[in-house]
Each structure stands twice: as structure tokens, then as C-alpha cells.
Amino acid sequence: MSGKIILDKALRSAVNLSSSKLPTELAKSSTALFSALSDTSFVLPDLAYDYNALEPAISAETMTLHHSKHHQTYITNLNATLEKIHSSMASGDVSGTIALQGALKFNGGGHVNHTLFWENLAPVGSSSFPTSGPLADAVNARFGSYENMVTEVSAKTVAVQGSGWGWLAYDPKTSSIDVVALPNQDPLEATTGLKPLLGIDVWEHAYYVDYR
Ligand code: MN3
């Protein structure tokens, strides 16, 4: 349940209460208000561009489905999982809480990964890879050239079997970058300690509409 709905319910009950019920109803309203203030529900982030902005590379239909349906589903399931985790923890159910970790990783990963993915994308011709600076230096040190990086990132990403993601990643321990592929919605940083620079979604839902 979103914070707004909880808040509205609290305000409605505060307005409608009769004086004899005041202490009880006020207590209930306060509880609802505090839970609204501490509400951690996640919401679908807006895109910085229109759904058709990436054509002809990615169609508006694919972008619409991918963002409003698929990403939203991860968020809906993440919020539901968090509610279950809170209930489970509140009742001291350690086993039940642990059993929810897979759903948390999958749906939380789906939300984190897609949020980064939308920020990685840009309309054709609207941005270019830097030819100098720390990122260009790191690419040249690891891959030899920008073109070699594109080739290697593409090769490792298309080699993902089933569903997953290809990542251009920064390793803070070695101050270097590398390409990594992970299955499912495994979030890069939480799973490997590497920091994601660029993520490529190789779930079928990211492109199937354009290749029917
Ligand atoms: Mn996707």
C-alpha cells in the first residue's frame, strides 16, 4: 500500500471521528500517519526521454511494455516482498524471513537493474563516448580501444544463457574495469562488489516485440 493511500485513510478517519472515540481514533490515526511517513514503497521512476525517443534502435512499443509493465511488476513484487519481510520480522519468524530473500534479490534486483538501464540509454546521436579522461583511460587499459570494448561486451552479453544481464563494471579494489555477465536479475554490486557502469538487459522482454 502506498504512503499516500495510508495517509489519506488516516486523514479521513481523523475528520470523521466522534468525540467519544477521540483517544482511540487519534491513536490509530497517529499510527497510520507514522507508518505513512516511514513508508518505503518503491515507485516506477520516470524516464528522462519519451518512449519513442530511442527509435529506430528500440521501438516505442518495446519501451512502453518494458518500462510500464515489466519494470512495474518488479516494483509491485518488491513492495509486496518487503511487506512480507516486515511482517515476518515483526513476528520473530527468522525462517520465514530467510525464505523471502530469493524474492527480495529477484524483484529488488529487477528494480535496481532497470533503473540503471533507463539511465544508460539515450537517443541516437545525443551522447558520445569520451575520447579522453579516466573512463577512456580505463577502457584503453583493459580493452585496448573503445571498439574492442564494444566487441567484448557484446560477445559476453549475447553468450548469457537464458535470462540475465551483461555489465561493464568498475572494480574498486583494483581501480580497473571489466565485463561481467550475470544470470536472472542478480544485482551486480550486491552480488559481486563491482560497481555497474553500463548494463545490458538480455531478458527476452527487452527486445522480443521488435523481432516478432
Ligand atoms: Mn528488462
Side-chain angles (χ1 to χ4, degrees), residues 90-203:
S91 62
D93 181 0
V94 176
S95 177
T97 305
I98 292 170
L100 290 160
Q101 299 308 300
L104 176 64
K105 183 178 183 181
F106 183 75
N107 295 298
H111 175 45
V112 167
N113 291 346
H114 286 87
T115 299
L116 186 77
F117 183 63
W118 309 129
E119 292 174 8
N120 280 166
L121 294 169
V124 174
S126 69
S127 67
S128 59
F129 199 79
T131 53
S132 62
L135 181 57
D137 291 345
V139 165
N140 290 332
R142 166 61 182 79
F143 300 99
S145 70
Y146 169 77
E147 289 72 21
N148 289 349
M149 179 195 77
V150 172
T151 302
E152 195 167 328
V153 169
S154 301
K156 286 211 174 152
T157 300
V158 299
V160 170
Q161 293 186 327
S163 299
W165 288 72
W167 295 101
L168 183 64
Y170 174 71
D171 185 345
K173 286 185 187 155
T174 59
S175 301
S176 63
I177 63 173
D178 206 352
V179 49
V180 178
L182 291 178
N184 306 314
Q185 292 294 354
D186 290 6
L188 182 72
E189 187 163 11
T191 309
T192 65
L194 302 172
K195 295 191 179 293
L197 300 176
L198 178 79
I200 301 173
D201 188 347
V202 277
W203 278 64

Side-chain angles (χ1 to χ4, degrees), residues 32-56:
L33 278 167
F34 280 118
S35 74
L37 291 172
S38 63
D39 186 22
T40 53
S41 289
F42 291 94
V43 294
L44 188 66
D46 288 333
L47 299 184
Y49 40 79
D50 293 332
Y51 282 139
N52 65 2
L54 306 180
E55 291 184 341

